[in-house]
Amino acid sequence: MSSTASSTVSTRRVLPARNVLGSLRLPGDKSISHRYAMLSALAEGVTRLQNFSTGADPHSTLACMEQLGARVSHSAEGVIEVTGCAGHFQQPAAPLDCGNSGSTMRMLAGLLAAQPIACTLIGDESLTRRPMERIRKPLSAMGARIDLTDGHAPLTIRGGALQGTDFTTPIASAQVKSCLLFAGLQAAGVTTVHEPVRTRDHGELALRAFGAALTRTRDSVSIPGGQSLRAIEATVPGDLSSAAFFLCAAAIFPDSNLVLDGVGMNPTRATLLDVLRSLGLRISVMQLSEQHGELVGSIQVSGPAEGLSGATISGALSAQLIDELPVLAAIAPYTRDGIQIRDARELRVKESDRIALVAQNLRAMGASVTEHEDGLDVPGGQALHGAEIDSGGDHRIAMAFSVAALRASGETLVHGAESAAISFPEFFDLLDRVTER
Ligand code: S3P
């Protein structure tokens, strides 16, 4: 692989590979890093975090927390120390820049809604297009004053005393759930969030790790207000959504053999492993352990000699696999029976319209694909050729098509490859390390 970089936008050349072999340890999970960064800033005491995500998004969160009064330092050993504000944020002197990160904007809004300060949250062009009404409505019902700009950022929050609420999320969203739990933690009374589909529970686990009490039923979670948090020491598990690119790369080579160490195996995220197993990938999970409620393990995978079968992903599965759907769709032409994705309308309002961009880029590589409002049909048994890929500045699109390019004929040029750094700056180097050419 080689890259040509201008000041901000870079193009990566990805050549076909013969196999995927090796072992890797991945940087910390993005979702957990965001939550630990926010809660450590609210807590009392000094939190020490090892293997914090190297992605730009969680670092946007850390920068916002510093503006709110937390002290953040980076030790030589790679540990991030956050000295918390003991429940009281300071009035920031400037708008809080959430960069490309929807998680930062939505969850931070919940944290700030209960604080007697006024904050403006801004983001880049992509984040400014993403829907924010989903947090404004429930936070307003709790008593926060939030102004959006036509349903979007910039978002202004004038926080203050909140009242607990009982809210059913109309869309499956862990960001919205965490936002409300973070507000509920500081409200009067109890806040209950009912979710139609169980989404990732890192917010719940992180709150518990920092000392908060909450209760869970099958489809709801409740948090009593007026609780304070205390600092923790933690190692962030490797990011399973980053691992997904390597697992899918291994899946498309029958003789592959890959070991990923220290990966987060939280059951609300690990649906990916079930889907890959059902496609035919041989997967073993070893050395399972738990820290602060988060499961961690090593994953060993080898490609199926008989090739990949096919899958239909819909309903709750689509919500649980939402970040992995682009790469699953990108490798779908190499399966025997194809992959159908439905109930994934949320993909249209991620960092890009991921349904449209996946379809466009698959077609550029010579595949036939049918686009639906809420998903895609990608037939199997199709050979791909190298092409020019438009990442749309979206990290998961850039990485998904770099994986698809490994089995295409000829070279692929991934435009906007620098966007991988939003979640996974080491992606291209690690991909080079495990691909045989
Ligand atoms: C995330 C939840 C998901 C996911 C995002 C991270 C989180 O978004 O797509 O990358 O950390 O809670 P939604 O909750 O909006 O579906």
Side-chain angles (χ1 to χ4, degrees), residues 39 42 110-111 114 139 142 162-167 176-194 201-217 219-229:
L39 297 184
L42 186 67
L111 218 51
L139 288 176
M142 296 176 81
L162 299 184
Q163 190 59 46
T165 190
D166 195 293
F167 185 72
V176 173
K177 175 175 60 173
S178 291
C179 162
L180 297 180
L181 294 177
F182 291 178
L185 170 78
Q186 309 169 77
V190 175
T191 294
T192 300
V193 184
H194 303 269
D201 65 355
H202 304 300
E204 293 93 307
L205 296 178
L207 281 161
R208 280 211 182 103
F210 280 88
L214 35 76
T215 53
R216 178 99 243 152
T217 66
D219 62 357
S220 74
V221 52
S222 299
I223 187 160
Q227 304 191 65
S228 49
L229 304 180

Side-chain angles (χ1 to χ4, degrees), residues 18-21 250-258 282 301-306 407 436:
R18 281 188 294 120
N19 204 358
V20 168
L21 290 173
I252 58 179
F253 292 93
D255 295 323
S256 63
N257 195 335
L258 193 65
R282 282 168 293 157
V301 291
S302 39
E306 61 291 354
R407 279 225 71 160
E436 276 204 342

Side-chain angles (χ1 to χ4, degrees), residues 329-342:
I331 62 161
Y334 303 127
T335 64
R336 198 173 54 240
D337 305 323
I339 295 184
Q340 293 80 42
I341 297 170
R342 291 291 185 290

Side-chain angles (χ1 to χ4, degrees), residues 6 59 83 121 136 203 220 226 239 296 315 317 324 380 383 395 403 434:
S6 68
H59 286 269
T83 307
L121 274 55
R136 193 201 63 80
S220 74
D239 195 321
V296 187
L317 266 189
E324 289 76 61
H395 54 131
V403 170
V434 296

Side-chain angles (χ1 to χ4, degrees), residues 29 32 39 41 52 68 82 88 98 105 128 132 144 152 172 194-195 207 210 235 244 248 300 349 368 375:
D29 185 86
I32 298 173
L39 297 184
F52 191 83
L68 290 162
V82 182
H88 305 286
C98 305
M105 189 168 279
T128 303
M132 293 297 148
H152 304 96
H194 303 269
E195 41 179 5
L207 281 161
F210 280 88
T235 300
C248 287
Q300 192 263 325
V349 290
S368 84

Side-chain angles (χ1 to χ4, degrees), residues 241-429:
S241 297
S242 297
F245 299 105
F246 290 93
L247 297 173
C248 287
I252 58 179
F253 292 93
D255 295 323
S256 63
N257 195 335
L258 193 65
V259 176
L260 303 176
D261 287 317
V263 183
M265 302 286 300
N266 179 316
T268 61
R269 294 282 291 285
T271 320
L272 170 70
L273 301 184
D274 301 333
V275 170
L276 289 173
R277 260 196 204 106
S278 78
L279 285 172
L281 195 65
R282 282 168 293 157
I283 305 181
S284 350
V285 175
M286 301 157 293
Q287 293 164 335
L288 263 188
S289 63
E290 194 198 304
Q291 199 188 35
H292 295 305
E294 293 286 357
L295 280 182
V296 187
S298 292
I299 307 176
Q300 192 263 325
V301 291
S302 39
E306 61 291 354
L308 297 169
S309 56
T312 297
I313 301 168
S314 61
L317 266 189
S318 294
Q320 280 154 4
L321 282 169
I322 198 75
D323 290 341
E324 289 76 61
L325 292 176
V327 67
L328 286 168
I331 62 161
Y334 303 127
T335 64
R336 198 173 54 240
D337 305 323
I339 295 184
Q340 293 80 42
I341 297 170
R342 291 291 185 290
D343 305 316
R345 193 171 280 105
E346 273 294 298
L347 284 179
R348 293 208 181 267
V349 290
K350 292 290 179 189
E351 287 83 329
S352 68
D353 178 342
R354 288 182 172 161
I355 294 178
L357 268 183
V358 166
Q360 175 192 323
N361 287 314
L362 277 173
R363 287 188 188 116
M365 296 183 85
S368 84
V369 43
T370 308
E371 188 179 328
H372 299 275
E373 183 46 35
D374 67 342
L376 295 157
D377 286 347
V378 188
Q382 307 191 70
L384 300 185
H385 56 71
E388 299 215 16
I389 297 300
D390 173 10
S391 73
D394 182 328
H395 54 131
R396 298 207 196 276
I397 300 292
M399 294 188 277
F401 282 89
S402 301
V403 170
L406 299 176
R407 279 225 71 160
S409 58
E411 71 169 32
T412 293
L413 294 175
V414 179
H415 297 304
E418 77 293 339
S419 59
I422 286 295
S423 60
F424 196 3
E426 306 79 356
F427 171 75
F428 287 103
D429 290 344

